[in-house]
Amino acid sequence: MMELQIKGQAYQFKFGFGFMREIDKRQTVKAPNGTQQNIGFQTAVGGILDGDAQALEDVLLLANKGQEPRLTADVLEEYIENEETDVDALFNGVIDFLKKSNVSKKKTLNLLKQAEAMGLISQ
């Protein structure tokens, strides 16, 4: 589990099956065989790699779902916007945790490998 301290409050983030189900269904594409394929996780990871603060916020809010205390969008946005927050470290920390969580590890590592092969990132 990942934890962030925001305004003296510890918030927990779990990148488990509940998180994966929720984020994956946020975006779908039609597969060649006509079925819908969920790609929300791939889109979110791509957004985080691109430095998209909205993608970062979405991932963190979904990962905090079901945890106590519950993080609100307002508190998280204020934290991300705060000049004292090392937002680069936050982006990197989320990616690092996605690489370690059993549920997201394989997909994240594959996405990072693909992005590196395309020259989008260097590891």
Side-chain angles (χ1 to χ4, degrees):
M1 208 170 293
M2 180 178 153
E3 184 176 289
L4 282 178
Q5 289 284 331
I6 302 175
K7 291 186 173 183
Q9 178 67 56
Y11 293 96
Q12 304 276 322
F13 302 88
K14 184 176 181 183
F15 298 94
F17 282 110
F19 163 78
M20 192 63 79
R21 283 186 199 101
E22 284 292 317
I23 199 156
D24 237 4
K25 68 183 181 183
R26 288 189 163 210
Q27 186 169 359
T28 60
V29 293
K30 196 171 196 170
N33 66 1
T35 62
Q36 292 292 324
Q37 184 177 15
N38 294 332
I39 61 164
F41 180 76
Q42 292 91 321
T43 302
V45 170
I48 291 173
L49 292 174
D50 283 343
D52 182 344
Q54 183 66 50
L56 178 66
E57 178 186 28
D58 289 345
V59 165
L60 288 172
L61 288 174
L62 282 175
N64 178 250
K65 191 173 180 178
Q67 305 300 311
E68 288 295 328
R70 185 78 171 107
L71 183 61
T72 65
D74 290 340
V75 170
L76 184 55
E77 287 171 9
E78 185 179 327
Y79 177 72
I80 292 170
E81 290 173 348
N82 187 325
E83 291 179 12
E84 294 180 17
T85 299
D86 185 347
V87 75
D88 293 326
L90 184 56
F91 276 105
N92 291 333
V94 169
I95 289 295
D96 286 343
F97 202 82
L98 288 169
K99 290 190 303 190
K100 294 174 187 165
S101 174
N102 279 345
V103 175
S104 61
K105 179 185 344 187
K106 187 86 168 159
K107 264 188 168 180
T108 302
L109 292 173
N110 286 337
L111 290 169
L112 292 172
K113 197 179 293 185
Q114 290 172 12
E116 186 175 22
M118 294 169 56
L120 302 174
I121 63 168
S122 61
Q123 290 206 19

